[in-house]
Amino acid sequence: MTTSTTAASVPSKHLQRASDRFVAYVYRLCESKRTRAELRRGLGLPVERCNYLHRYLVPWLSRPAEDGSSQRVHPEAKRAHYAVAALIAARPRTARDTPPTATDAAPVPDWFTRPDLGTSLGQAVNQGVMKPATAESTLHLMSRQTSDAIHPYLPALTRQLLGGGVTVDWAVLLEDLSWWDRDRDRIATRWLENYFRTTSAEGAPEDTGAETTGLDTIKEKQR
């Protein structure tokens, strides 16, 4: 005797966060080499300079909300969507086969257990992808910046993480960037807490030398 699959056992995409659905949408777009190349042109740029991205992202951001009302996207959230789309498109070849954290066909993970950027940096330290001093300096410096200063730095940082086999949860990053200028202290504190929680859980290796990364880009702008 066979049993029928109940609706509860098949997660509906409406149970997913909008950020997860957006990430899945961008992954589908990136299946086309041409589209992936055009999305990649938005790396580190403000929305006003992302001319090649509008045709793909404006339809998504203009969709009605789930309650049928008109959806108005805050400028910071809009830039976050453009930035994450470009970052996904720019993934190294070795990272392109990694699926989104949540898809229409998979259970939706508990949001509060998912890795944010602090967690990813902690994993990078544990795996020897980054040195502890570099990762901590990155987090402390970013925690004092506006989103305008952070966005240009993200391409180099995420490329380093992905190239070292560290996962980036794009949906979490999308929401954190969307709220950064309005809730920076809370988000930065969470990043730092998750970083130290991750490194202390496995025991971070000792820092044996200096490391040059895109962090210097932000420092130069402050001088």
Side-chain angles (χ1 to χ4, degrees):
M1 178 178 179
T2 59
T3 57
S4 60
T5 303
T6 62
S9 66
V10 180
S12 166
K13 65 180 180 179
H14 294 294
L15 297 177
Q16 294 179 329
R17 299 174 80 93
S19 54
D20 278 317
R21 295 196 295 274
F22 176 75
V23 170
Y25 168 69
V26 175
Y27 266 69
R28 291 193 295 271
L29 289 176
C30 288
E31 292 174 1
S32 163
K33 290 183 179 180
R34 175 182 175 181
T35 302
R36 187 169 67 242
E38 292 184 341
L39 291 174
R40 198 164 53 234
R41 293 192 180 193
L43 279 174
L45 299 178
V47 173
E48 294 76 15
R49 295 177 58 192
C50 294
N51 295 334
Y52 286 89
L53 280 69
H54 298 318
R55 65 179 298 181
Y56 305 108
L57 303 188
V58 169
W60 178 275
L61 295 174
S62 302
R63 294 168 56 176
E66 292 185 0
D67 60 3
S69 62
S70 300
Q71 183 173 238
R72 299 187 63 182
V73 181
H74 191 279
E76 292 171 22
K78 185 176 182 180
R79 181 170 188 182
H81 281 78
Y82 276 65
V84 168
L87 291 171
I88 292 174
R91 287 168 296 155
R93 184 181 300 275
T94 55
R96 290 178 194 164
D97 293 333
T98 304
T101 302
T103 66
D104 290 349
V108 182
D110 180 1
W111 182 256
F112 298 102
T113 66
R114 292 170 59 168
D116 58 17
L117 193 59
T119 306
S120 295
L121 286 171
Q123 293 171 348
V125 168
N126 291 342
Q127 297 175 26
V129 177
M130 295 182 71
K131 298 184 184 301
T134 301
E136 290 179 33
S137 296
T138 298
L139 285 171
H140 284 297
L141 184 57
M142 292 178 74
S143 69
R144 302 193 299 270
Q145 306 300 316
T146 65
S147 61
D148 283 341
I150 289 178
H151 277 283
Y153 177 57
L154 288 173
L157 177 60
T158 55
R159 183 167 56 249
Q160 182 177 7
L161 293 173
L162 295 170
V166 178
T167 300
V168 175
D169 192 317
W170 300 113
V172 175
L173 180 61
L174 171 60
E175 295 197 22
D176 285 348
L177 292 176
S178 296
W179 286 95
W180 184 260
D181 281 343
R182 290 170 285 173
D183 205 5
R184 180 179 60 192
D185 291 343
R186 181 184 63 81
I187 298 170
T189 297
R190 169 163 49 77
W191 285 5
L192 285 162
E193 288 177 344
N194 285 337
Y195 168 79
F196 288 111
R197 186 178 293 115
T198 301
T199 54
S200 62
E202 297 189 21
E206 293 185 2
D207 198 343
T208 58
E211 180 182 22
T212 302
T213 69
L215 180 64
D216 296 330
T217 302
I218 295 180
K219 291 181 178 178
E220 286 296 329
K221 290 183 178 180
Q222 292 181 324
R223 293 176 181 173

